[in-house]
Amino acid sequence: MARQKVARKAAPSAAGDASDSGQAEVELAQASGKDVRGDEQTPAKHAKWPWILLIVLAFLVGFFVLADHLARQYAERKVVAELEHVFDNSSVTRVDAKLGGWPFLFSVVDKNLKNGHIEFDNLRGTLSGTPVHVVTGSVDFEDLHPINDLQTATIGTLTATATLDWDTLNAQLNGVRVSHLQDNRLQAVMTVQVFGVAIDIRVSGEVRLENAEGSLSLISPHAEIAGIDVPDSIVNGVIAQVQDQLRLPAIAGIRYKSVGVSAAGASVSVIGDDIKLSELK
């Protein structure tokens, strides 16, 4: 009878131990990331970190792109302002600048503008002390550096087209007055010596570019004096006298590719390498 009482008293103690042991296992499972059934669980805060990183990264990229775009726009406005300052900005009707290279901020840090495209209308300035009026033109360039000091800057390569008005050409061609005749033909009025007498002669012909230095010639020339046709032998002699004067303006580092004429003026296409901006003024 006594042994039964002892057994009954011991039973609650064993149950209590089992309860304590089970509670300990639950606490241990919760601490190790498992539920009471032993399944693995991932804390919710750990699942949020990749999304937070993606949001921060997207914000930084967006901020960089915006800053790059604003820096490019600012630089383009500076280029326009500089052109209008160098030339007579009261006559300029249009200047557009598009600067390339991405990211543009790298060009700012490196002080080297990779490439750009500029278009303009009615630019007036001086070239070697002679007034110049560019009716319309465009410029493509690469490797402009340093961009923080344009007074000493150099352009690596340049391609440009421009239409110079007839007043500009006449200022460059000493003693020869030129104008458009038709198609790609021009006429030139010049004073020549015939048997010691100064005579004005009108010569017309198709314009041809002879070399990269800007020398011009007239193809199939025709000449007349006071409305009277001049024999070819005399025409050729006249052309020989003024050949040295039929030359486009010389610009350091610039080579002429083509030339044509129209009512607006002479359209020229040029290329160049290692050109100092200070020599273009």
Side-chain angles (χ1 to χ4, degrees):
M1 193 68 177
R3 285 195 295 269
Q4 290 178 351
K5 289 182 179 179
V6 171
R8 288 186 185 140
K9 288 182 180 180
S13 176
D17 292 342
S19 175
D20 292 342
S21 175
Q23 182 65 30
E25 289 179 359
V26 170
E27 292 177 355
L28 180 60
Q30 290 175 344
S32 62
K34 296 181 179 180
D35 61 15
V36 294
R37 293 165 299 180
D39 296 333
E40 192 77 20
Q41 71 174 17
T42 302
K45 61 180 182 179
H46 289 174
K48 292 179 180 178
W49 274 110
W51 291 105
I52 294 175
L53 291 175
L54 286 175
I55 292 172
V56 172
L57 181 61
F59 175 79
L60 292 176
V61 171
F63 179 80
F64 180 81
V65 171
L66 177 61
D68 191 80
H69 177 70
L70 293 177
R72 188 188 307 273
Q73 284 189 327
Y74 174 78
E76 289 173 350
R77 289 195 296 268
K78 289 287 289 182
V79 170
V80 170
E82 181 69 16
L83 283 174
E84 291 179 342
H85 173 72
V86 171
F87 295 90
D88 181 5
N89 58 9
S90 63
S91 68
V92 176
T93 57
R94 181 178 68 96
V95 179
D96 293 328
K98 299 296 181 184
L99 304 181
W102 199 92
F104 185 77
L105 288 174
F106 284 8
S107 297
V108 176
V109 174
D110 193 37
K111 298 181 178 59
N112 187 327
L113 187 56
K114 301 304 180 184
N115 58 76
H117 176 78
I118 301 174
E119 295 182 357
F120 45 85
D121 294 330
N122 292 317
L123 290 185
R124 294 181 183 272
T126 58
L127 181 63
S128 301
T130 303
V132 174
H133 176 204
V134 181
V135 179
T136 186
S138 66
V139 177
D140 291 282
F141 63 86
E142 295 180 359
D143 189 23
L144 171 61
H145 63 281
I147 59 176
N148 62 326
D149 185 8
L150 295 180
Q151 297 297 324
T152 62
T154 300
I155 298 176
T157 60
L158 175 146
T159 302
T161 60
T163 299
L164 307 174
D165 74 348
W166 291 108
D167 288 340
T168 297
L169 292 172
N170 284 320
Q172 295 289 332
L173 303 174
N174 296 326
V176 181
R177 301 183 300 278
V178 293
S179 61
H180 181 243
L181 186 60
Q182 63 182 17
D183 299 329
N184 197 41
R185 295 177 67 86
L186 62 73
Q187 64 178 4
V189 179
M190 59 197 76
T191 300
V192 297
Q193 297 291 326
V194 179
F195 303 115
V197 179
I199 299 176
D200 285 342
I201 182 171
R202 188 181 305 271
V203 180
S204 62
E206 182 178 351
V207 180
R208 184 173 70 183
L209 180 66
E210 289 295 324
N211 52 48
E213 287 68 39
S215 297
L216 304 175
S217 64
L218 296 179
I219 305 302
S220 302
H222 173 78
E224 59 181 45
I225 298 176
I228 301 174
D229 291 344
V230 176
D232 291 344
S233 57
I234 297 179
V235 172
N236 293 333
V238 170
I239 296 298
Q241 288 188 41
V242 299
Q243 185 64 56
D244 290 341
Q245 297 171 271
L246 296 176
R247 182 183 296 274
L248 292 169
I251 306 173
I254 293 293
R255 304 184 302 278
Y256 289 94
K257 288 181 59 180
S258 64
V259 62
V261 296
S262 66
S267 299
V268 298
S269 174
V270 302
I271 57 175
D273 303 294
D274 299 323
I275 304 162
K276 296 185 180 300
L277 284 183
S278 60
E279 296 179 352
L280 296 179
K281 298 183 179 181

